[in-house]
Amino acid sequence: MTILKVSGLRKTFGGLTAVADLDFEVNESEILGLIGPNGAGKSTTFNLIAGAYAADGGDVVFAGKPILGLPPHAIAARGVMRTFQHNRPFEGMTVLENVLVGAHTRFQHSLWRIVAGTAGEAERRERRRAEDLIDFVGLSELRNASVDRLSFGQGRLLEIARALAGEPKLLLFDEPAAGLTLAEAERIAGVIRGIAARGIAVLLIEHDMHFLLPLAHRVVVLNFGAKIAEGTPERIRTDPAVMNAYLGQHAFA
């Protein structure tokens, strides 16, 4: 079942077309990769979906309802969460407190009562759920540690747990493997597979094809803001247009 439908999406900056009449869909529980050379329009597409940029045309329908033009917090509240290329923890707080802050779109009670541990049963349930998410991403031993103690790779896992705290139906990843060691990237890939297994759709930008292609169910390829190919990783590997525009004949060596 389709969870996100992008139709005719357009964005220009001055005389430059960043996204040109883009169409694609993301299904429930699917991992869809969005690739292309630098300047292809990938990050602009993310920013349009998440509400950070205003589109010049087109439609974005999420869970059957249009979201184009809504502010970012309203889109997040509907179930679209994102992570960024650079970790953005709330400094001076613990791992657990950071994840609790990530659930702010769903709180009907005081966030700070939950963080302080002075809340009632409903708030305590939120705390237990945050602890479960920390376990899910593999940071259980650090749940009460300051975020200042985290390595870069652990910080990336924290970003994922914090995004999941908002109970997304769709999670946007912007180059999740960037800056990671091979072991850390494999760990992130396992977490992303686990997210999809929970029924959450994943849309991710990634330049590392050795990370992306074994992970994605389908791939959309952009060049100069336009879609030039779409299909399974196996098809994308050998697509002549993709090879010429982006990957090169030795990209998968």
Side-chain angles (χ1 to χ4, degrees):
M1 180 176 177
T2 299
I3 188 70
L4 180 77
K5 184 174 183 179
V6 175
S7 306
L9 191 62
R10 300 192 304 277
K11 180 64 179 178
T12 60
F13 296 99
L16 174 66
T17 299
V19 178
D21 299 318
L22 179 60
D23 300 319
F24 68 87
E25 297 180 0
V26 185
N27 300 314
E28 292 179 351
S29 303
E30 182 179 36
I31 302 172
L32 180 69
L34 190 63
I35 70 172
N38 290 332
K42 305 182 299 297
S43 293
T44 300
T45 299
F46 262 36
N47 284 324
L48 292 169
I49 294 170
Y53 290 166
D56 295 322
D59 291 299
V60 177
V61 176
F62 174 69
K65 297 182 179 179
I67 60 172
L68 201 62
L70 294 178
H73 70 272
I75 293 174
R78 292 194 180 197
V80 179
M81 300 291 175
R82 69 179 298 181
T83 68
F84 296 86
Q85 294 181 29
H86 305 290
N87 298 336
R88 299 180 177 183
F90 293 98
E91 297 181 1
M93 300 175 69
T94 67
V95 168
L96 177 59
E97 289 166 348
N98 265 261
V99 176
L100 284 168
V101 172
H104 72 280
T105 58
R106 298 184 299 102
F107 284 150
Q108 297 179 356
H109 304 282
S110 169
L111 167 63
W112 299 111
R113 286 178 62 197
I114 298 171
V115 170
T118 61
E121 178 56 31
E123 293 92 336
R124 285 194 289 271
R125 283 198 299 270
E126 296 290 352
R127 194 178 186 93
R128 289 194 294 270
R129 184 174 179 278
E131 291 174 344
D132 289 343
L133 290 173
I134 291 169
D135 293 342
F136 171 70
V137 300
L139 294 177
S140 55
E141 295 181 358
L142 295 166
R143 70 181 58 185
N144 295 314
S146 169
V147 293
D148 300 334
R149 288 184 50 192
L150 299 184
S151 67
F152 183 80
Q154 289 168 337
R156 187 62 52 83
L157 292 168
L158 171 60
E159 291 284 318
I160 296 173
R162 193 168 62 187
L164 289 171
E167 293 190 349
K169 298 176 184 175
L170 171 67
L171 191 50
L172 311 180
F173 284 93
D174 194 348
E175 296 192 39
L180 301 184
T181 66
L182 179 59
E184 289 171 335
E186 290 175 349
R187 186 175 181 185
I188 290 287
V191 170
I192 292 174
R193 289 189 181 96
I195 290 169
R198 291 183 170 207
I200 301 168
V202 173
L203 175 61
L204 65 91
I205 295 171
E206 186 54 63
H207 284 290
D208 184 347
M209 295 300 99
H210 297 287
F211 174 84
L212 175 70
L213 294 182
L215 180 62
H217 299 122
R218 290 188 301 120
V219 180
V220 170
V221 188
L222 304 184
N223 195 30
F224 295 110
K227 182 174 71 174
I228 61 170
E230 179 177 358
T232 64
E234 292 75 19
R235 177 185 172 188
I236 294 302
R237 280 179 187 272
T238 57
D239 188 292
V242 178
M243 301 289 281
N244 290 334
Y246 175 43
L247 299 176
Q249 65 185 79
H250 304 298
F252 304 112

